[in-house]
Amino acid sequence: MPRGSKTKYTAEQKRKAEHIEDSYEKKGVSKDEAEARAWATVNKQSGGGEKAGGSGRRKPASAKSEDRKESARRAVVSREGQSRNSKASREGQTVESLRKEARDRKIPGCSSMRKDELIAALRKAS
């Protein structure tokens, strides 16, 4: 039997665990193992029993919207003043995007270069 009290679980979570347990038992898993797996599955999917504070744990849509706007504003501020060819801009690119840019500029040997070599070659070619 799994450890811990199941009193904090919702009726839906209990039904789900019972259904999962039944399906494991039909597959030939022992009753104790089936019950343990069922509760482990419920815990993984929903994070355990009822949480303190009920449904108020989630952010309202307006708060999420404000967070997205703030994140976008910070991103714009962090990009300001960085040209496409700046060191900070190139450092943020992936090796593949740097290789593509080097191929477009017809830089020889770019397929075997490391990231720092690609950045130096692109800077030299600018």
Side-chain angles (χ1 to χ4, degrees), residues 89-103:
S89 175
R90 289 240 167 84
E91 290 290 333
Q93 288 181 280
T94 63
V95 174
E96 274 309 306
S97 67
L98 291 168
R99 281 194 180 127
K100 183 180 182 311
E101 190 175 341
R103 277 193 301 269

Side-chain angles (χ1 to χ4, degrees), residues 42-101:
V42 169
N43 286 336
K44 181 156 184 149
Q45 290 175 347
S46 63
E50 293 177 297
K51 305 291 184 213
S55 64
R57 293 178 59 86
R58 294 195 175 139
K59 279 188 176 182
S62 60
K64 288 181 185 177
S65 175
E66 288 301 317
D67 286 348
R68 280 193 295 273
K69 287 178 186 174
E70 177 62 21
S71 177
R73 187 193 63 75
R74 285 193 312 265
V76 167
V77 168
S78 71
R79 282 192 304 262
E80 281 179 356
Q82 292 181 7
S83 71
R84 173 102 168 101
N85 295 326
S86 74
K87 180 178 170 94
S89 175
R90 289 240 167 84
E91 290 290 333
Q93 288 181 280
T94 63
V95 174
E96 274 309 306
S97 67
L98 291 168
R99 281 194 180 127
K100 183 180 182 311
E101 190 175 341

